[in-house]
């Protein structure tokens, strides 16, 4: 069984990919189970060495990885190249993190006994990742899982299997047979993987799909990252570069980032100035030059539905500069929607496109309440030159990640995770290792009873 792959830049078919079903899922999970004893028995140093080899393989074929990413997502070359470099860095980071992590207290905690804590792998981890960052989202999940001694089976999004199939070939060569496998396919493939004999599921996707995954996984461990709808509170004393920075962050990856700024909230005294500056900044972001298309026809239709349903009083759009043959691609211009009612769908839903809304409030406290008024709670930002106030507001924003005078600034050392309908669990940082390991307390009587 095959599925047709589409180039989002042109809207035209670009090839096919296999669709995995019960036999392929069962075979991959069985192979991962068989590989688990050997992989988990390696010392952290030995696993680190192999993960370092995988990072080197990604770097050696960086151009091919970037080409794979671009064919499935339409990203500009600069974005794809930068994300491939981040993937190599992630594998190296977790190779080291697994060797240096701390453990709870150990020693003679009970008279006549010695105790210590072992961190053990969960087992076989099923990973389901979306189409917005095919390779990088997989690395966020796979790197800590592998470093923790687990084996992994990954189901990429139906539209973007390319870079992960390449990663699987490199992983087989340097990690060993069955340690990291990729199952291309559709939603049914993902459900089959979740319902298979995996010991844990790590899922990145929509809240609706996340609830389905949690129900199918039952009592097994589940890590969920389920999207966002990030507010950006822009105060009257915001730095002069604020609107340009927000426009760049909102259009990176065509706005198809769970942590991208989406809802700009500002005070009445600063409202018209922010609207004007954001309009200018977003109009300066050119689709086809500065950012790519939406990923697929369904996402384009969803975006168009939300924009059409919006009751915005004003709209500012940027230009399109597409190449010959790209007229039928899923391109959408940068857009700012202004003068919206609080319940407007462009505010309450995660738009997932190159769009910013602007809301007006009377006070800083109202801005905070408006920022925290949606069920998603993944990321947020505050823009002010009063750092004391900025840090205070960041601490009161209900989000797993809060920035002051910046947005989308991330690194392997810092954790990323959601609250509310944005899910639970941790990506990035040494804390992510806890997602994929479980502690075992060992106590030995050494004294006489």
């Amino acid at each position: 069984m095959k599925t047709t792959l589409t180039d989002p830049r042109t809207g035209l078919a670009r090839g096919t990919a296999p669709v995995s079903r019960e036999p392929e899922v069962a075979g991959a999970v069985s192979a991962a189970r068989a590989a688990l004893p050997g992989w988990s028995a390696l010392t952290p140093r030995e696993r680190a060495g192999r993960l370092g080899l995988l990072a080197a393989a990604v770097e050696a074929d960086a151009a091919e990885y970037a080409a794979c990413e671009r064919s499935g997502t339409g990203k500009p070359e600069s974005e794809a190249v930068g994300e491939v470099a981040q993937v190599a860095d992630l594998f190296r980071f977790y190779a080291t993190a697994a060797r240096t992590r701390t453990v709870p207290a150990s020693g003679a905690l009970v008279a006549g006994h010695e105790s210590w804590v072992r961190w053990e792998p969960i087992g076989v981890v099923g990973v389901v990742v979306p189409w917005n960052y095919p390779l990088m989202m997989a690395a966020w999940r796979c790197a800590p899982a592998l470093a923790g001694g687990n084996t992994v089976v990954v189901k990429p999004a139906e539209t973007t299997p390319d870079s992960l199939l390449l990663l699987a070939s490199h992983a087989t060569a340097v990690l060993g047979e069955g340690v990291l496998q990729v199952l291309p396919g559709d939603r049914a493939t993902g459900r089959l993987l979740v319902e298979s004999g995996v010991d844990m599921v790590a899922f990145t996707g929509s809240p609706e799909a996340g609830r389905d995954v949690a129900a199918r996984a039952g009592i097994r461990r589940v890590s969920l990252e389920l999207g966002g709808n990030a507010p950006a509170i822009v105060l009257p004393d915001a730095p002069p570069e604020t609107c340009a920075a927000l426009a760049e962050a909102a259009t990176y990856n065509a706005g198809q980032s769970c942590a991208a700024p989406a809802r700009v909230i500002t005070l009445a005294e600063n409202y018209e100035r922010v609207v004007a500056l954001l309009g200018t900044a977003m109009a300066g972001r050119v689709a086809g030059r500065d950012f790519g298309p939406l990923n697929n026809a369904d996402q384009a239709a969803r975006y168009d539905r939300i924009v059409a349903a919006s009751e915005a009083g004003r709209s500012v759009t940027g230009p399109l500069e597409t190449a010959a043959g790209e007229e039928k691609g899923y391109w959408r211009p940068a857009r700012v929607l202004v003068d919206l009612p609080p319940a407007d769908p462009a505010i309450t839903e995660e738009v997932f496109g190159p769009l910013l809304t602007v809301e007006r409030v009377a006070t800083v406290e109202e801005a905070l309440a408006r920022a925290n008024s949606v069920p998603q709670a993944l990321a947020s930002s505050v823009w002010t030159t009063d750092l004391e106030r900025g840090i205070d507001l960041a601490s009161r924003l209900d989000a797993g990640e809060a920035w002051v005078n910046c947005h989308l600034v991330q690194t392997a050392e810092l954790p990323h995770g959601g609250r509310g309908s944005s899910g639970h669990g941790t990506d990035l940082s040494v804390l992510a290792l806890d997602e994929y390991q479980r502690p075992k307390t060992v106590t030995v009587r050494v004294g006489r009873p």
Side-chain angles (χ1 to χ4, degrees):
M1 185 176 176
K2 298 275 189 180
T3 186
T4 299
L5 299 176
T6 300
D7 187 330
R9 295 167 291 192
T10 64
L12 303 176
R14 61 181 181 86
T16 62
V19 177
S20 304
R21 286 293 181 258
E22 289 92 340
E24 292 81 11
V25 173
V29 174
S30 178
R33 184 72 61 195
L36 181 61
W39 179 253
S40 62
L42 297 175
T43 64
R45 179 180 179 179
E46 290 168 331
R47 282 199 298 273
R50 296 196 192 183
L51 290 173
L53 292 175
L54 183 57
V58 171
E59 288 175 331
D61 276 354
E64 187 175 355
Y65 275 103
C68 287
E69 287 287 276
R70 296 196 68 201
S71 65
T73 66
K75 296 175 188 284
E77 185 174 6
S78 60
E79 290 186 12
V81 169
E83 289 165 19
V84 171
Q86 289 183 54
V87 167
D89 178 65
L90 277 167
F91 282 113
R92 285 205 175 92
F93 173 81
Y94 281 107
T96 301
R99 298 181 64 186
T100 59
R101 68 173 305 164
T102 59
V103 299
S106 60
L109 305 178
V110 180
H113 298 75
E114 286 287 333
S115 302
W116 62 91
V117 176
R118 292 170 50 91
W119 284 104
E120 298 180 345
I122 301 294
V124 178
V125 179
V127 172
V128 181
V129 294
W131 41 254
N132 55 334
Y133 296 102
L135 185 63
M136 193 162 67
M137 290 295 96
W140 280 23
R141 298 298 197 169
C142 294
L146 292 168
N150 304 276
T151 54
V152 180
V153 180
V154 188
K155 207 295 285 184
E158 184 175 5
T159 59
T160 54
D162 311 68
S163 55
L164 286 182
L165 289 170
L166 180 59
L167 182 67
S169 66
H170 283 140
T172 298
V174 301
L175 303 184
E177 194 76 35
V179 176
L180 171 59
Q181 299 169 84
V182 171
L183 282 173
D186 54 13
R187 290 183 180 179
T189 308
R191 295 187 186 105
L192 288 169
L193 179 59
V194 172
E195 293 174 343
S196 72
V198 296
D199 301 299
M200 173 186 171
V201 178
F203 175 82
T204 305
S206 70
E208 295 78 11
R211 284 190 285 270
D212 182 70
V213 166
R216 293 174 188 273
I219 62 172
R220 290 172 293 167
R221 185 179 296 191
V222 176
S223 177
L224 301 173
E225 202 266 58
L226 305 179
N229 192 359
I233 298 176
V234 179
L235 298 181
D237 63 345
E241 71 277 6
T242 295
C243 290
L246 284 172
E248 183 176 355
T251 55
Y252 183 87
N253 200 37
Q256 298 169 122
S257 173
C258 297
R263 302 178 293 127
V264 175
I265 303 167
T266 190
L267 304 187
E269 64 191 272
N270 197 43
Y271 181 70
E272 290 299 337
R273 180 170 179 269
V274 168
V275 167
L277 290 174
L278 270 182
T280 299
M282 289 290 273
R285 301 290 295 172
V286 181
R289 183 196 71 187
D290 300 317
F291 59 93
L294 300 184
N295 182 260
N296 55 74
D298 288 344
Q299 173 58 18
R302 179 182 177 277
Y303 175 88
D304 292 342
R305 172 185 62 78
I306 293 174
V307 172
S310 174
E311 297 180 12
R314 287 179 280 172
S315 175
V316 178
T317 59
L320 293 173
E321 287 186 7
T322 56
E326 294 183 343
E327 296 81 8
K328 295 183 179 180
Y330 308 125
W331 301 93
R332 297 297 183 271
R335 184 186 299 269
V336 180
L337 296 180
V338 186
D339 303 336
L340 307 96
D344 195 273
I347 291 174
T348 60
E349 297 186 41
E350 182 184 24
V351 178
F352 226 56
L355 182 148
L356 285 171
T357 61
V358 187
E359 300 175 73
R360 173 173 45 200
V361 296
T363 66
V364 173
E365 290 302 315
E366 187 181 349
L368 181 66
R370 187 71 61 87
N372 291 337
S373 66
V374 300
Q376 305 95 339
L378 182 66
S380 58
S381 62
V382 180
W383 301 77
T384 174
T385 51
D386 183 343
L387 290 184
E388 184 176 357
R389 180 162 65 173
I391 292 170
D392 173 66
L393 288 172
S395 71
R396 293 193 284 155
L397 281 164
D398 184 21
E401 197 160 3
W403 293 284
V404 178
N405 296 336
C406 56
H407 203 111
L408 282 186
V409 177
Q410 295 173 316
T411 180
E413 290 87 349
L414 294 173
H416 170 83
R419 303 174 178 182
S421 69
S422 290
H424 56 78
T426 300
D427 289 316
L428 302 178
S429 83
V430 295
L431 299 179
L433 289 168
D434 292 348
E435 297 289 308
Y436 305 98
Q437 291 185 303
R438 51 193 172 182
K440 175 188 286 182
T441 297
V442 179
T443 298
V444 178
R445 180 170 60 82
V446 294
R448 293 182 178 181

